[in-house]
Amino acid sequence: MTTNERFDATTGTPTTTTTAAPTTTARRRLGSTGPAVFPIGLGCMGMSALYGEADRSESIATIHAYLDAVPEGVNALLDTGDFYGMGHNELLIHEALRTAPAAARDRALTSVKFGALRTVEGGFTGYDGRPEAVRNFLAYSLQRLGRDHIDVYRIARVDPDVPIEETVGAIAEAVEAGHVRHIGLSEVGADTLRRAAAVAPISDLQIEYSLISRGIEDEILPTARELGIGVTAYGVLSRGLISGHFTRDRALAPGDFRGMSPRFQGENLHRNLDLVDALRKVADDKGVSVAQTAIAWVLSRGADIVPLVGARRRDRLTEALGALRIDLGPADLAAIEAAVPAGAAAGDRYPAAQMAHLDSEH
C-alpha cells in the first residue's frame, strides 16, 4: 500500500488517500513547499552524456512520449544539469519542448543542477557555489532552455570552499527575482540539509536511492522528512545495473561512465548481478520486469519520494512507467528484501575521487 496526494477537483486543495498502488493520475509533492508532480520523473542526463552515444531523435521522441504519458493537469518533471554534455542536454530539452504540443509543454517542469566545473576533454575539476557563479550559471541555463524561469534549481555538489548558506542564499535571491521557482539540493548530508533549510525553504533533495543504494535511510531521509523536504531519487536502477537488462559479458561503449564505476568492475559486477538474478525470481512470480520491480520498490518507500528514471528510449520509458501499476504487498516487499538485502551491493557507487565530493557520504 502507498499513500499518494491527489487534488480535489472543485477546491484545488490536496487530499491524502491510500491506494493499492500509485496510479497514472496520482501526484506527489516535492516537499511541503514544492510543486506537485507526476509520480515518476524523467532524468535526461543519458541523452547527452556519460553513457556513450545517444540517438538525438529518439531522445526527443522519448521526452515527447513522457510528456504524453503525464495526464492533463499534472506536472511532468524533467531533470537535467547544465554540465550534461556541456549544455547539450539543456539545448536538447529546449528543442523537445519547442516541438511538443503546447498543452504538453505547459505542464513540463525543469529541475536543473549547476556548479560542476569541466575541462575541454570532459573531466570534472570541482564545483563552484559562489553567489556570483550561481547567477552566471543560471543566466546560461535560462538561455539554453529558452525559458524565463527554472522550476527547481540546485547545486550538483556542495562547494567545500563556500558555505552552503551563501549558495542557497543566492538561489533564494533568484526566487525573489522570479528566475527560479523552488530551491533544491543534491547529495547533501543531514547537517547540510538543516543549515540550508534555515536560510530558505527547500523543496527537495536529489540523491541516489535504490535497492542497492540505501544509505539515506539512516539519517538523511529522516531529516528530510522532519524538515518537510521531498526526495527526488536518481539511480533507481543503479545506472542499469539492476534493470534486468545488463549482462555479465556486456561491452561498454567508449566514454560510458560505468567503465569506471566500482559496481561494474570484475567480481563486484558478478556479485551484483547475482542479486539481480534473485530479484528476477521475485519479478517473474509477479509477472512483471526486474526494472519495474526495482522502481516500484522505490515508489513504495513513501509519497514524499519521486523516482527519476533515466530512459533514453521509448521502450525503456514504457517499461519504467509500468511500475505505476504494480501493487507491492507485504509479502512482495519481504521477498524483495530477501533477494536484495540492505547493504548487499558490492563496490561503492562512484569512483573514489567522486565519492570525495559527496557531502552525503561524510
Side-chain angles (χ1 to χ4, degrees):
M1 302 290 284
T2 55
T3 301
N4 293 291
E5 185 177 76
R6 297 173 181 271
F7 286 73
D8 184 274
T10 302
T11 66
T13 57
T15 60
T16 299
T17 60
T18 300
T19 61
T23 68
T24 54
T25 57
R27 313 181 199 195
R28 294 188 170 195
R29 186 172 294 280
L30 299 185
S32 59
T33 63
V37 299
F38 193 60
I40 291 178
L42 181 62
C44 300
M45 179 188 75
M47 299 176 181
S48 298
L50 298 180
Y51 292 114
E53 290 291 329
D55 184 310
R56 183 180 185 84
S57 296
E58 182 61 23
S59 295
I60 291 173
T62 300
I63 294 173
H64 287 169
Y66 172 68
L67 296 175
D68 289 343
V70 176
E72 183 178 351
V74 179
N75 293 320
L77 185 65
L78 298 175
D79 183 76
T80 184
D82 63 8
F83 51 93
Y84 293 165
M86 283 74 159
H88 178 277
N89 204 237
E90 290 179 321
L91 292 169
L92 183 78
I93 290 173
H94 183 179
E95 182 177 348
L97 293 178
R98 180 182 61 80
T99 54
R105 182 168 60 248
D106 290 344
R107 59 178 173 265
L109 302 187
T110 53
S111 168
V112 179
K113 291 177 290 298
F114 70 89
L117 303 176
R118 305 292 303 271
T119 67
V120 174
E121 294 75 21
F124 288 86
T125 60
Y127 297 89
D128 193 344
R130 296 171 301 144
E132 55 267 41
V134 174
R135 291 187 284 270
N136 178 76
F137 288 127
L138 176 60
Y140 279 94
S141 283
L142 290 171
Q143 178 67 26
R144 286 188 292 259
L145 288 166
R147 307 201 118 191
D148 62 3
H149 72 275
I150 289 170
D151 295 285
V152 186
Y153 201 50
R154 70 187 88 237
I155 190 165
R157 301 287 186 267
V158 174
D159 182 344
D161 297 323
V162 178
I164 193 64
E165 290 86 351
E166 293 185 16
T167 303
V168 169
I171 305 175
E173 291 176 1
V175 172
E176 292 178 5
H179 303 315
V180 171
R181 294 283 167 82
H182 304 281
I183 304 171
L185 293 168
S186 177
E187 286 289 354
V188 304
D191 178 64
T192 303
L193 202 58
R194 291 185 186 280
R195 289 168 52 201
V199 175
I202 305 298
S203 67
D204 68 306
L205 168 64
Q206 188 172 122
I207 196 164
E208 186 167 355
Y209 188 41
S210 73
L211 273 168
I212 64 171
S213 295
R214 298 178 60 174
I216 71 169
E217 293 177 343
D218 294 334
E219 186 178 9
I220 295 173
L221 182 56
T223 301
R225 285 174 167 162
E226 175 192 336
L227 297 171
I229 296 171
V231 169
T232 40
Y234 76 89
V236 294
L237 296 179
S238 300
R239 298 164 185 84
L241 181 59
I242 60 172
S243 67
H245 301 297
F246 203 94
T247 60
R248 297 173 193 273
D249 59 351
R250 178 171 173 177
L252 295 172
D256 192 317
F257 160 83
R258 292 169 293 190
M260 299 181 295
S261 173
R263 289 184 176 173
F264 288 82
Q265 304 303 310
E267 184 59 28
N268 285 349
L269 175 62
H270 292 289
R271 289 171 57 190
N272 290 329
L273 291 181
D274 285 344
L275 298 174
V276 177
D277 290 341
L279 184 62
R280 192 185 307 277
K281 295 177 182 177
V282 180
D284 288 346
D285 286 345
K286 286 193 69 66
V288 298
S289 75
V290 174
Q292 289 170 339
T293 304
I295 296 167
W297 181 86
V298 177
L299 284 164
S300 77
R301 298 296 87 192
D304 53 349
I305 298 173
V306 175
L308 300 173
V309 298
R312 301 195 294 172
R313 298 177 354 212
R314 284 168 285 181
D315 59 334
R316 294 287 193 251
L317 174 67
T318 298
E319 179 186 22
L321 296 182
L324 291 167
R325 297 189 296 272
I326 297 175
D327 176 12
L328 294 179
D332 299 315
L333 292 171
I336 291 171
E337 295 276 350
V340 188
D348 288 333
R349 54 195 182 101
Y350 285 102
Q354 294 186 38
M355 288 292 289
H357 287 294
L358 297 178
D359 182 77
S360 55
E361 295 287 340
H362 303 304

